[in-house]
PDB file of all heavy atoms in Angstrom:
ATOM      1  N   ILE A  37     125.670  60.828   1.664  1.00 97.00           N
ATOM      2  CA  ILE A  37     127.136  60.744   1.957  1.00 97.00           C
ATOM      3  C   ILE A  37     127.213  60.666   3.525  1.00 97.00           C
ATOM      4  O   ILE A  37     126.773  61.577   4.233  1.00 97.00           O
ATOM      5  CB  ILE A  37     127.931  61.867   1.519  1.00 97.00           C
ATOM      6  CG1 ILE A  37     127.887  62.048   0.015  1.00 97.00           C
ATOM      7  CG2 ILE A  37     129.388  61.743   1.972  1.00 97.00           C
ATOM      8  CD1 ILE A  37     128.518  63.240  -0.627  1.00 97.00           C
ATOM      9  N   ILE A  38     127.795  59.545   3.994  1.00 96.00           N
ATOM     10  CA  ILE A  38     128.010  59.345   5.333  1.00 96.00           C
ATOM     11  C   ILE A  38     129.513  59.385   5.687  1.00 96.00           C
ATOM     12  O   ILE A  38     130.298  58.712   5.008  1.00 96.00           O
ATOM     13  CB  ILE A  38     127.360  58.026   5.928  1.00 96.00           C
ATOM     14  CG1 ILE A  38     125.967  57.970   5.572  1.00 96.00           C
ATOM     15  CG2 ILE A  38     127.638  57.815   7.306  1.00 96.00           C
ATOM     16  CD1 ILE A  38     125.167  56.636   5.766  1.00 96.00           C
ATOM     17  N   ASN A  39     129.834  60.150   6.667  1.00 95.00           N
ATOM     18  CA  ASN A  39     131.326  60.314   6.949  1.00 95.00           C
ATOM     19  C   ASN A  39     131.792  59.648   8.273  1.00 95.00           C
ATOM     20  O   ASN A  39     130.922  59.441   9.184  1.00 95.00           O
ATOM     21  CB  ASN A  39     131.588  61.821   7.007  1.00 95.00           C
ATOM     22  CG  ASN A  39     131.382  62.543   5.808  1.00 95.00           C
ATOM     23  OD1 ASN A  39     131.920  62.215   4.658  1.00 95.00           O
ATOM     24  ND2 ASN A  39     130.542  63.592   5.792  1.00 95.00           N
ATOM     25  N   CYS A  40     133.049  59.351   8.332  1.00 93.00           N
ATOM     26  CA  CYS A  40     133.651  58.699   9.455  1.00 93.00           C
ATOM     27  C   CYS A  40     135.033  59.186   9.712  1.00 93.00           C
ATOM     28  O   CYS A  40     135.899  59.149   8.604  1.00 93.00           O
ATOM     29  CB  CYS A  40     133.420  57.188   9.315  1.00 93.00           C
ATOM     30  SG  CYS A  40     134.128  56.231  10.599  1.00 93.00           S
ATOM     31  N   ALA A  41     135.340  59.544  10.794  1.00 92.00           N
ATOM     32  CA  ALA A  41     136.846  59.869  11.153  1.00 92.00           C
ATOM     33  C   ALA A  41     137.347  58.637  11.954  1.00 92.00           C
ATOM     34  O   ALA A  41     136.802  58.239  13.031  1.00 92.00           O
ATOM     35  CB  ALA A  41     136.843  61.064  11.958  1.00 92.00           C
ATOM     36  N   TYR A  42     138.373  58.003  11.385  1.00 89.00           N
ATOM     37  CA  TYR A  42     139.035  56.943  12.161  1.00 89.00           C
ATOM     38  C   TYR A  42     140.169  57.324  12.940  1.00 89.00           C
ATOM     39  O   TYR A  42     140.719  58.391  12.789  1.00 89.00           O
ATOM     40  CB  TYR A  42     139.420  55.791  11.261  1.00 89.00           C
ATOM     41  CG  TYR A  42     140.474  55.994  10.106  1.00 89.00           C
ATOM     42  CD1 TYR A  42     141.793  55.703  10.446  1.00 89.00           C
ATOM     43  CD2 TYR A  42     140.130  56.489   8.887  1.00 89.00           C
ATOM     44  CE1 TYR A  42     142.744  55.971   9.528  1.00 89.00           C
ATOM     45  CE2 TYR A  42     141.127  56.752   7.903  1.00 89.00           C
ATOM     46  CZ  TYR A  42     142.403  56.447   8.331  1.00 89.00           C
ATOM     47  OH  TYR A  42     143.338  56.624   7.291  1.00 89.00           O
ATOM     48  N   SER A  43     140.627  56.537  13.847  1.00 83.00           N
ATOM     49  CA  SER A  43     141.566  56.988  14.922  1.00 83.00           C
ATOM     50  C   SER A  43     142.962  56.464  14.820  1.00 83.00           C
ATOM     51  O   SER A  43     143.881  57.226  15.167  1.00 83.00           O
ATOM     52  CB  SER A  43     141.015  56.557  16.304  1.00 83.00           C
ATOM     53  OG  SER A  43     140.861  55.074  16.341  1.00 83.00           O
ATOM     54  N   ASN A  44     143.197  55.345  14.159  1.00 87.00           N
ATOM     55  CA  ASN A  44     144.462  54.648  14.238  1.00 87.00           C
ATOM     56  C   ASN A  44     145.184  54.877  12.859  1.00 87.00           C
ATOM     57  O   ASN A  44     144.717  54.225  11.854  1.00 87.00           O
ATOM     58  CB  ASN A  44     144.364  53.270  14.571  1.00 87.00           C
ATOM     59  CG  ASN A  44     145.726  52.662  14.850  1.00 87.00           C
ATOM     60  OD1 ASN A  44     146.779  53.243  14.475  1.00 87.00           O
ATOM     61  ND2 ASN A  44     145.758  51.442  15.323  1.00 87.00           N
ATOM     62  N   SER A  45     146.276  55.633  12.782  1.00 87.00           N
ATOM     63  CA  SER A  45     146.904  55.787  11.406  1.00 87.00           C
ATOM     64  C   SER A  45     147.602  54.506  10.959  1.00 87.00           C
ATOM     65  O   SER A  45     147.903  54.420   9.811  1.00 87.00           O
ATOM     66  CB  SER A  45     147.998  56.951  11.594  1.00 87.00           C
ATOM     67  OG  SER A  45     148.960  56.550  12.586  1.00 87.00           O
ATOM     68  N   ALA A  46     147.749  53.581  11.786  1.00 87.00           N
ATOM     69  CA  ALA A  46     148.274  52.188  11.398  1.00 87.00           C
ATOM     70  C   ALA A  46     147.172  51.230  10.898  1.00 87.00           C
ATOM     71  O   ALA A  46     147.467  50.190  10.418  1.00 87.00           O
ATOM     72  CB  ALA A  46     148.890  51.504  12.565  1.00 87.00           C
ATOM     73  N   SER A  47     145.908  51.611  10.873  1.00 89.00           N
ATOM     74  CA  SER A  47     144.919  50.835  10.376  1.00 89.00           C
ATOM     75  C   SER A  47     145.044  50.651   8.847  1.00 89.00           C
ATOM     76  O   SER A  47     145.325  51.604   8.202  1.00 89.00           O
ATOM     77  CB  SER A  47     143.494  51.353  10.721  1.00 89.00           C
ATOM     78  OG  SER A  47     143.270  51.277  12.117  1.00 89.00           O
ATOM     79  N   ASP A  48     144.813  49.438   8.514  1.00 88.00           N
ATOM     80  CA  ASP A  48     144.966  49.227   6.978  1.00 88.00           C
ATOM     81  C   ASP A  48     143.852  48.574   6.230  1.00 88.00           C
ATOM     82  O   ASP A  48     143.885  48.186   5.128  1.00 88.00           O
ATOM     83  CB  ASP A  48     146.223  48.250   6.789  1.00 88.00           C
ATOM     84  CG  ASP A  48     146.175  46.880   7.462  1.00 88.00           C
ATOM     85  OD1 ASP A  48     145.120  46.605   7.958  1.00 88.00           O
ATOM     86  OD2 ASP A  48     147.122  46.210   7.518  1.00 88.00           O
ATOM     87  N   TYR A  49     142.798  48.364   6.985  1.00 90.00           N
ATOM     88  CA  TYR A  49     141.574  47.857   6.364  1.00 90.00           C
ATOM     89  C   TYR A  49     140.257  48.434   6.966  1.00 90.00           C
ATOM     90  O   TYR A  49     140.245  48.581   8.185  1.00 90.00           O
ATOM     91  CB  TYR A  49     141.619  46.295   6.571  1.00 90.00           C
ATOM     92  CG  TYR A  49     140.506  45.631   6.031  1.00 90.00           C
ATOM     93  CD1 TYR A  49     140.132  45.535   4.666  1.00 90.00           C
ATOM     94  CD2 TYR A  49     139.582  44.782   6.902  1.00 90.00           C
ATOM     95  CE1 TYR A  49     139.131  44.881   4.125  1.00 90.00           C
ATOM     96  CE2 TYR A  49     138.510  44.029   6.351  1.00 90.00           C
ATOM     97  CZ  TYR A  49     138.264  44.050   5.070  1.00 90.00           C
ATOM     98  OH  TYR A  49     137.234  43.408   4.503  1.00 90.00           O
ATOM     99  N   PHE A  50     139.436  48.934   6.103  1.00 92.00           N
ATOM    100  CA  PHE A  50     138.228  49.695   6.614  1.00 92.00           C
ATOM    101  C   PHE A  50     137.037  49.159   5.958  1.00 92.00           C
ATOM    102  O   PHE A  50     137.022  48.610   4.848  1.00 92.00           O
ATOM    103  CB  PHE A  50     138.516  51.157   6.207  1.00 92.00           C
ATOM    104  CG  PHE A  50     139.705  51.736   6.639  1.00 92.00           C
ATOM    105  CD1 PHE A  50     140.889  51.669   5.824  1.00 92.00           C
ATOM    106  CD2 PHE A  50     139.747  52.383   7.822  1.00 92.00           C
ATOM    107  CE1 PHE A  50     141.987  52.241   6.251  1.00 92.00           C
ATOM    108  CE2 PHE A  50     140.924  52.969   8.265  1.00 92.00           C
ATOM    109  CZ  PHE A  50     142.140  52.851   7.574  1.00 92.00           C
ATOM    110  N   ILE A  51     135.960  49.050   6.752  1.00 93.00           N
ATOM    111  CA  ILE A  51     134.755  48.436   6.327  1.00 93.00           C
ATOM    112  C   ILE A  51     133.517  49.339   6.705  1.00 93.00           C
ATOM    113  O   ILE A  51     133.535  50.057   7.715  1.00 93.00           O
ATOM    114  CB  ILE A  51     134.554  47.054   7.049  1.00 93.00           C
ATOM    115  CG1 ILE A  51     135.832  46.261   6.998  1.00 93.00           C
ATOM    116  CG2 ILE A  51     133.368  46.267   6.400  1.00 93.00           C
ATOM    117  CD1 ILE A  51     136.531  46.279   8.362  1.00 93.00           C
ATOM    118  N   TRP A  52     132.600  49.226   5.967  1.00 96.00           N
ATOM    119  CA  TRP A  52     131.245  49.934   6.177  1.00 96.00           C
ATOM    120  C   TRP A  52     130.241  48.851   6.464  1.00 96.00           C
ATOM    121  O   TRP A  52     130.117  47.866   5.528  1.00 96.00           O
ATOM    122  CB  TRP A  52     130.844  50.866   5.103  1.00 96.00           C
ATOM    123  CG  TRP A  52     131.395  52.239   5.121  1.00 96.00           C
ATOM    124  CD1 TRP A  52     132.441  52.582   4.352  1.00 96.00           C
ATOM    125  CD2 TRP A  52     131.051  53.277   5.959  1.00 96.00           C
ATOM    126  NE1 TRP A  52     132.807  53.931   4.590  1.00 96.00           N
ATOM    127  CE2 TRP A  52     131.959  54.380   5.630  1.00 96.00           C
ATOM    128  CE3 TRP A  52     130.108  53.537   6.960  1.00 96.00           C
ATOM    129  CZ2 TRP A  52     131.875  55.600   6.171  1.00 96.00           C
ATOM    130  CZ3 TRP A  52     130.049  54.752   7.572  1.00 96.00           C
ATOM    131  CH2 TRP A  52     130.941  55.767   7.256  1.00 96.00           C
ATOM    132  N   TYR A  53     129.472  48.973   7.501  1.00 96.00           N
ATOM    133  CA  TYR A  53     128.340  48.103   7.830  1.00 96.00           C
ATOM    134  C   TYR A  53     127.082  48.819   7.914  1.00 96.00           C
ATOM    135  O   TYR A  53     126.991  49.979   8.334  1.00 96.00           O
ATOM    136  CB  TYR A  53     128.582  47.531   9.166  1.00 96.00           C
ATOM    137  CG  TYR A  53     129.710  46.487   9.274  1.00 96.00           C
ATOM    138  CD1 TYR A  53     131.072  46.830   9.540  1.00 96.00           C
ATOM    139  CD2 TYR A  53     129.505  45.176   8.899  1.00 96.00           C
ATOM    140  CE1 TYR A  53     132.030  45.894   9.665  1.00 96.00           C
ATOM    141  CE2 TYR A  53     130.577  44.249   8.921  1.00 96.00           C
ATOM    142  CZ  TYR A  53     131.763  44.627   9.221  1.00 96.00           C
ATOM    143  OH  TYR A  53     132.802  43.750   9.347  1.00 96.00           O
ATOM    144  N   LYS A  54     125.974  48.116   7.652  1.00 96.00           N
ATOM    145  CA  LYS A  54     124.630  48.704   7.770  1.00 96.00           C
ATOM    146  C   LYS A  54     123.952  47.816   8.870  1.00 96.00           C
ATOM    147  O   LYS A  54     124.060  46.563   8.801  1.00 96.00           O
ATOM    148  CB  LYS A  54     123.879  48.428   6.427  1.00 96.00           C
ATOM    149  CG  LYS A  54     122.355  48.737   6.493  1.00 96.00           C
ATOM    150  CD  LYS A  54     121.790  48.433   5.096  1.00 96.00           C
ATOM    151  CE  LYS A  54     120.232  48.652   5.052  1.00 96.00           C
ATOM    152  NZ  LYS A  54     119.688  48.339   3.825  1.00 96.00           N
ATOM    153  N   GLN A  55     123.254  48.418   9.703  1.00 95.00           N
ATOM    154  CA  GLN A  55     122.589  47.700  10.776  1.00 95.00           C
ATOM    155  C   GLN A  55     121.141  48.044  10.926  1.00 95.00           C
ATOM    156  O   GLN A  55     120.852  49.390  11.165  1.00 95.00           O
ATOM    157  CB  GLN A  55     123.207  47.783  12.147  1.00 95.00           C
ATOM    158  CG  GLN A  55     122.728  46.874  13.224  1.00 95.00           C
ATOM    159  CD  GLN A  55     123.484  46.871  14.530  1.00 95.00           C
ATOM    160  OE1 GLN A  55     124.232  47.793  14.862  1.00 95.00           O
ATOM    161  NE2 GLN A  55     123.424  45.813  15.239  1.00 95.00           N
ATOM    162  N   GLU A  56     120.185  47.119  10.706  1.00 93.00           N
ATOM    163  CA  GLU A  56     118.777  47.508  10.889  1.00 93.00           C
ATOM    164  C   GLU A  56     118.371  46.945  12.170  1.00 93.00           C
ATOM    165  O   GLU A  56     118.953  46.040  12.851  1.00 93.00           O
ATOM    166  CB  GLU A  56     117.991  46.766   9.769  1.00 93.00           C
ATOM    167  CG  GLU A  56     118.386  47.257   8.440  1.00 93.00           C
ATOM    168  CD  GLU A  56     117.739  46.487   7.271  1.00 93.00           C
ATOM    169  OE1 GLU A  56     118.224  45.238   7.166  1.00 93.00           O
ATOM    170  OE2 GLU A  56     116.986  46.925   6.505  1.00 93.00           O
ATOM    171  N   SER A  57     117.253  47.540  12.745  1.00 89.00           N
ATOM    172  CA  SER A  57     116.842  47.156  13.978  1.00 89.00           C
ATOM    173  C   SER A  57     116.457  45.633  14.156  1.00 89.00           C
ATOM    174  O   SER A  57     115.977  44.981  13.202  1.00 89.00           O
ATOM    175  CB  SER A  57     115.515  47.880  14.380  1.00 89.00           C
ATOM    176  OG  SER A  57     115.785  49.197  14.654  1.00 89.00           O
TER     177      SER A  57
END
Side-chain angles (χ1 to χ4, degrees):
Chain A
I37 300 176
I38 301 172
N39 296 304
C40 177
Y42 64 92
S43 56
N44 188 349
S45 57
S47 293
D48 58 9
Y49 180 59
F50 306 88
I51 315 101
W52 280 101
Y53 290 93
K54 172 187 181 182
Q55 189 172 26
E56 298 170 294
S57 289

